[in-house]
Amino acid sequence: MTFQEQQAAERAQDHIDSARLQDAIAALAAFGGRGDGGVSREALTGVDLAARRHLIERARALGCEVSTDDCANLFFRRAGSADLPPVLTGSHADTQPVGGKLDGAYGVLAGLEVIAALNDAGIRTPRPIEVVAWTNEEGSRFGPGAMGSSAFVDPACLPAYRDAVDGAGVRFGDALDAALAAAPDVPRRPMRQPMSACVELHIEQGPVLERAAVPLGVVTGIQSVRWYRVTCAGMMGHAGTTPMGERSDAMATAVAVAQQLYAFAATGSGAPAGTELRLTLGRWQVTPNSVNTIPGAVEFTIDARCVDEAVLERFEAALGEIAARQGGKVGGKVGFTCFFRRPPTLFPPAMLALVSQACERASAQAWLPAPLRLTSGAFHDAMYLAGHCPTAMIFVPSERGISHNAAEATAPHDLFLGAQALAYTVAALAHR
Ligand code: GLV
Ligand code: MN
Ligand code: MN
């Protein structure tokens, strides 16, 4: 690292303002804020559009130029002294149906805090810096997840994404057009723009850092993920009159499939020591969903994750066997489709070295333990950016490892240290 690079990185880090960051987190959390302290702000809902407007105004107040693209990703640009590909940071502003204040929001707001810190320190960087708020990272309303970042990297994904529908039958494409129409003052730019590097700051969403009592994590990569939709067919019938032996009950079939999948995850996945297959059957739809009608159709989703891709291969084979076996039983047809798959992501060593340096300085100044290296259990937009430019991630602890829950929380001092590490990393990269 050159002397100039290091000096800018240290000064940027030392200008992060914890109170300003906390205020920004509280202000964004008001959009979709819940009585239990959580946030409900699913992608492209009315509250999400209001939150996006809030971010646009906030970024403009910091002197940023705002632009968007065909997937309504929002880019907040701080100009550089040279016309070079920017350094990218940020995350997403959408949440789970019941989410917290920090998942995604923290990365976007810490990115804007880095820009405020650079402004305060009077640092002019050779490269521009862009803070991004990616569209629909969560994937809960419209599947799959990380739509904005994947479409940015590979715009050919977008036409199929536009046909995704939410539970109420709204098309993603229509919601996207409405979001773009709601921001006529924001110029459109092409997708797939060159970036010199990308760094995403995020809460860990798991227990590793807190258990180790370490405030900062250098993320080495992201585990594999696959999402499936399973459909079980039966025949509707009267709950009181149809003899048990003469039913084709889609729920009975679905429960049997689910039990066999859980059993596979518990015993048969063969995950390497210290790792596991993580299985979630998170969304269920029952037709006709009536107390006194035998279910005629059940659809449920599977989220399967592991650091070892081979385990997910075995899981998919087992799913196929279970579906065929169960579907072979009287009238109990079972089908499944995979609608999201991503192999493991590994971040490059040079980026890990820079992030380590940034985290080491922030924790040492606070007299706290040195950063830990860990793999992300959650997926992030950074997994797509990793295929586009040198990419890295920084984690801060999550209290009790809780996330995708209204109770999601991180100590303000840890959030401050994370933003400091981000400032150092971004300022150094913007001088390269
Ligand atoms: C992101 O929200 C994930 O499910 O990992
Ligand atoms: Mn997230
Ligand atoms: Mn999330």
Side-chain angles (χ1 to χ4, degrees):
M1 191 181 283
T2 64
F3 175 71
Q4 201 197 12
E5 223 174 279
Q6 185 165 350
Q7 213 187 21
E10 291 183 358
R11 286 185 54 233
Q13 187 168 63
D14 295 341
H15 277 80
I16 290 293
D17 181 332
S18 183
R20 185 168 55 192
L21 177 61
Q22 288 299 319
D23 285 350
I25 291 169
L28 184 58
F31 295 89
R34 299 163 49 89
D36 58 6
V39 177
S40 291
R41 194 171 58 230
E42 281 192 281
L44 304 184
T45 51
V47 280
D48 187 32
L49 298 198
R52 294 158 72 91
R53 173 53 57 186
H54 168 81
L55 289 172
I56 291 167
E57 302 310 337
R58 214 176 171 101
R60 283 187 176 146
L62 289 170
C64 294
E65 240 177 63
V66 182
S67 58
T68 190
D69 62 18
D70 290 352
C71 202
N73 296 311
L74 283 173
F75 298 89
F76 310 128
R77 181 184 178 96
R78 184 180 192 263
S81 56
D83 187 19
L84 293 166
V87 174
L88 186 67
T89 186
S91 191
H92 59 97
D94 65 311
T95 74
Q96 288 286 312
V98 181
K101 297 180 174 76
L102 299 171
D103 177 0
Y106 172 50
V108 176
L109 296 170
L112 291 177
E113 174 55 33
V114 169
I115 288 183
L118 290 166
N119 290 351
D120 287 355
I123 296 171
R124 187 135 167 81
T125 57
R127 287 186 187 276
I129 294 168
E130 292 193 348
V131 177
V132 62
W134 300 111
T135 298
N136 187 29
E137 189 272 350
E138 294 291 358
S140 52
R141 181 179 175 204
F142 300 105
M147 272 189 185
S149 50
S150 54
F152 170 83
V153 166
D154 178 10
C157 296
L158 192 52
Y161 288 170
R162 289 183 63 89
D163 287 333
V165 285
D166 71 3
V170 177
R171 275 181 78 244
F172 179 70
D174 294 336
L176 204 52
D177 293 342
L180 290 167
D185 55 322
V186 178
R188 197 83 69 92
R189 63 191 240 168
M191 312 280 274
R192 216 188 145 70
Q193 299 228 307
M195 296 290 166
S196 69
C198 171
V199 52
E200 181 172 357
L201 172 65
H202 207 282
I203 54 168
E204 182 204 323
Q205 308 182 273
V208 177
L209 291 175
E210 186 182 68
R211 283 183 190 159
V214 167
L216 291 170
V218 177
V219 184
T220 53
I222 299 176
Q223 70 174 339
S224 302
V225 53
R226 294 188 192 188
W227 285 2
Y228 303 88
R229 195 172 288 116
V230 180
T231 51
C232 302
M235 198 175 107
M236 289 184 219
H238 197 290
T241 60
T242 316
M244 290 303 279
E246 293 173 30
R247 298 174 174 216
S248 174
D249 182 339
M251 181 55 85
T253 302
V255 167
V257 170
Q259 276 172 342
Q260 290 169 68
L261 294 177
Y262 284 127
F264 178 87
T267 59
S269 67
T275 73
E276 61 185 354
L277 169 63
R278 294 193 174 140
L279 176 69
T280 305
L281 313 183
R283 183 161 58 213
W284 290 72
Q285 278 171 301
V286 183
T287 306
N289 210 22
S290 163
V291 65
N292 50 355
T293 296
I294 299 162
V298 173
E299 184 181 301
F300 66 91
T301 54
I302 301 175
D303 175 314
R305 309 201 199 194
C306 190
V307 292
D308 185 354
E309 179 79 348
V311 171
L312 294 190
E313 285 297 329
R314 287 199 286 280
F315 174 78
E316 190 164 304
L319 172 61
E321 283 163 24
I322 293 165
R325 195 164 54 238
Q326 208 61 40
K329 304 213 166 149
V330 195
K333 273 203 183 97
V334 180
F336 68 93
T337 51
C338 181
F339 65 106
F340 182 31
R341 65 172 65 217
R342 194 73 193 158
T345 304
L346 288 177
F347 298 128
M351 290 295 285
L352 298 185
L354 176 61
V355 165
S356 297
Q357 202 174 328
C359 293
E360 272 156 23
R361 183 172 184 272
S363 18
Q365 289 198 140
W367 299 98
L368 287 167
L372 202 74
R373 290 196 171 203
L374 75 170
T375 304
S376 175
F379 64 74
H380 298 284
D381 295 300
M383 78 186 169
Y384 285 107
L385 272 294
H388 186 67
C389 61
T391 296
M393 288 192 75
I394 302 166
F395 274 175
V396 294
S398 290
E399 287 179 7
R400 291 175 292 144
I402 293 173
S403 187
H404 286 191
N405 183 310
E408 176 186 279
T410 297
H413 191 251
D414 290 341
L415 294 171
F416 166 66
L417 294 180
Q420 280 201 318
L422 182 69
Y424 186 104
T425 309
V426 167
L429 291 167
H431 277 82
R432 289 187 177 170

